[in-house]
Amino acid sequence: DAGVTQSPTHLIKTRGQQVTLRCSPKSGHDTVSWYQQALGQGPQFIFQYYEEEERQRGNFPDRFSGHQFPNYSSELNVNALLLGDSALYLCASRAGGNSYEQYFGPGTRLTVT
Amino acid sequence: EDKVVQSPLSLVVHEGDTVTLNCSYEVTNFRSLLWYKQEKKAPTFLFMLTSSGIEKKSGRLSSILDKKELFSILNITATQTGDSAVYLCAASNSNSGYALNFGKGTSLLVTP
């Protein structure tokens, strides 16, 4: 049973560019959340997708946007990159219903220069 | 504003020691508290706690929640070098759907 997968593993971008990160949830999971983890910090919630719609959003600017596809996979897009966007971006999936258990992917390390 | 605070921030112990990691929370409409272990990148799920006083146990790891005093502890007995990792605590509230509010983590180093 494949767990949560993310691509790419690493990415280097220049300030002002745009980036797209991808996530495939664990088999049987239909809800995907994205988190940003800066060095030495805990993950910070960006947003959550369910049934192809954004359901919850954390305190992140509109430069951060996302999408969920009919197969439950998801993309995170970040526009106009800033140096402060350098972080590990984690995707987590959750089974439906009332389960709060979330399973994380290995993350994408984004470096903005 | 919801807050999750973990202590200590870092800890160094010898193999075989027992450690206790702490997590306190201030969360409106608290729903559940989760513990994760993060070794390199992906946090791996350890426990989810929703009820006070009921210990969850998995091998040498155990955790308990106190909803009156608003804290949880994670115990690791007979530590091994493979337990070296960052341990993350996260809380959820019923107003924020299934979003998790994480603490900064406790970095545990187990030396041989």
Side-chain angles (χ1 to χ4, degrees):
Chain A
D1 176 24
V4 180
T5 59
Q6 292 187 241
S7 64
T9 306
H10 297 92
L11 206 49
I12 299 175
K13 289 285 189 179
T14 303
R15 191 171 45 184
Q17 286 188 315
Q18 178 263 343
V19 68
T20 296
L21 311 181
R22 294 177 177 81
C23 169
S24 291
K26 186 176 166 67
S27 178
H29 287 190
D30 59 7
T31 303
V32 172
S33 298
W34 287 92
Y35 290 81
Q36 180 196 67
Q37 187 176 24
L39 206 59
Q41 303 293 316
Q44 298 291 312
F45 175 73
I46 303 175
F47 42 54
Q48 182 176 89
Y49 277 83
Y50 171 67
E51 292 186 333
E52 302 178 50
E53 288 189 16
E54 184 183 294
R55 300 291 179 168
Q56 298 286 337
R57 189 178 182 93
N59 190 23
F60 278 79
D62 292 345
R63 298 186 297 110
F64 289 77
S65 64
H67 189 78
Q68 185 178 36
F69 299 94
N71 66 352
Y72 309 124
S73 67
S74 176
E75 287 182 350
L76 164 65
N77 300 294
V78 187
N79 294 322
L81 285 167
L82 303 174
L83 297 180
D85 295 332
S86 295
L88 179 67
Y89 287 85
L90 294 163
C91 169
S93 73
R94 185 184 70 83
N98 291 323
S99 173
Y100 275 80
E101 293 181 25
Q102 297 189 34
Y103 296 86
F104 284 83
T108 294
R109 172 73 63 189
L110 172 65
T111 302
V112 182
T113 62
Chain B
E1 185 180 324
D2 291 349
K3 193 163 57 171
V4 176
V5 178
Q6 293 186 245
S7 64
L9 290 181
S10 65
L11 193 54
V12 181
V13 300
H14 292 295
E15 222 170 5
D17 287 350
T18 293
V19 298
T20 298
L21 309 184
N22 304 293
C23 176
S24 65
Y25 62 91
E26 293 175 25
V27 174
T28 309
N29 297 317
F30 170 83
R31 288 289 294 271
S32 60
L33 189 133
L34 293 85
W35 284 97
Y36 287 87
K37 176 183 181 182
Q38 186 173 30
E39 292 179 81
K40 295 230 171 125
K41 283 192 173 181
T44 53
F45 175 79
L46 295 175
F47 299 112
M48 184 176 75
L49 304 145
T50 55
S51 300
S52 247
I54 298 175
E55 184 183 54
K56 293 247 178 146
K57 197 170 171 64
S58 176
R60 296 177 294 102
L61 277 66
S62 64
S63 184
I64 197 160
L65 176 68
D66 186 327
K67 290 169 78 171
K68 183 179 175 187
E69 300 297 329
L70 307 182
F71 76 91
S72 173
I73 59 172
L74 176 68
N75 280 320
I76 309 175
T77 59
T79 52
Q80 302 171 357
T81 55
D83 295 327
S84 297
V86 174
Y87 290 84
L88 294 164
C89 165
S92 66
N93 73 54
S94 55
N95 295 333
S96 64
Y98 297 93
L100 297 177
N101 187 348
F102 281 87
K104 289 187 176 182
T106 293
S107 178
L108 173 66
L109 177 62
V110 182
T111 60

